[in-house]
């Protein structure tokens, strides 16, 4: 097994917070749950007692890094169809970064940013987490 194979199996914790201007025709959790590989690992936050400013619309996922490409593609397609935005907080170990997803965000670029953040979290040093900038980096280009 290569290092990249091992990394693809490491768990990643994501918090997805959709920001909606109007009620969506399909809510994000339903959209994601249409794909069976995400049903057991993506769930609502359960409301109440969460971080300040988080609403019941927050979705939590703990999944292998290998599932990120499909999840980011699903998220991007939902954002495009609903004409809304979302933020994703990605946590691995003690490192957390936040990426913004809008209609201009390319899911491949989003994945590249997430992958780099996760790599930097695993390999602290000159390119470590402090080099990523502060949370809230915009993945839209």
């Amino acid at each position: 097994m290569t290092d990249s194979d091992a990394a693809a199996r490491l768990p990643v914790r994501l918090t997805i917070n959709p920001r909606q201007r109007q009620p969506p025709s399909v809510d994000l959790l339903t959209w994601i749950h249409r794909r069976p590989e995400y049903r057991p690992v993506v769930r609502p936050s359960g409301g109440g007692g969460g971080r300040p400013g988080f609403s019941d619309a927050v979705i939590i996922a703990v999944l292998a890094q290998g599932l990120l490409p499909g999840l980011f593609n699903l998220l991007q397609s939902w954002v495009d169809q609903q004409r809304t935005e979302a933020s994703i907080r990605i946590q691995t170990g003690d490192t957390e970064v936040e990426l913004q997803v809008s209609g201009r965000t390319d899911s491949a670029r989003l994945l590249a940013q997430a992958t780099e953040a996760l790599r930097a979290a695993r390999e602290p040093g000159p390119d470590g987490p402090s080099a990523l900038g502060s949370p809230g980096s915009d993945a839209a280009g």
Side-chain angles (χ1 to χ4, degrees):
M1 180 184 305
T2 67
D3 287 343
S4 61
D5 290 338
R9 289 184 172 81
L10 290 175
V12 178
R13 184 178 195 274
L14 295 107
T15 306
I16 305 170
N17 189 12
R19 290 186 295 277
Q20 301 155 356
R21 295 183 186 107
Q22 58 189 9
S25 58
V26 177
D27 69 81
L28 180 56
L29 187 62
T30 301
W31 187 265
I32 293 170
H33 280 185
R34 290 177 177 172
R35 299 281 301 271
E37 63 268 34
Y38 298 108
R39 279 187 210 130
V41 294
V42 179
R43 61 179 175 76
S45 67
R51 288 185 160 165
F54 277 3
S55 70
D56 290 339
V58 172
I59 296 170
I60 303 292
V62 179
L63 60 140
Q65 291 179 31
L67 289 176
L68 286 176
L71 183 60
F72 286 166
N73 283 332
L74 277 173
L75 179 61
Q76 182 59 45
S77 63
W78 182 82
V79 164
D80 283 345
Q81 189 172 73
Q82 304 305 319
R83 294 192 167 98
T84 190
E85 296 179 343
S87 66
I88 304 173
R89 296 177 87 97
I90 303 169
Q91 181 180 2
T92 181
D94 293 335
T95 302
E96 184 176 286
V97 294
E98 184 172 352
L99 304 173
Q100 304 298 320
V101 184
S102 72
R104 298 183 321 268
T105 305
D106 175 70
S107 59
R109 185 169 175 205
L110 183 65
L111 178 62
Q113 283 190 305
T115 302
E116 177 59 22
L118 296 171
R119 184 204 59 77
R122 284 193 309 273
E123 301 171 10
D127 293 338
S130 62
L132 292 173
S134 61
S137 300
D138 190 351

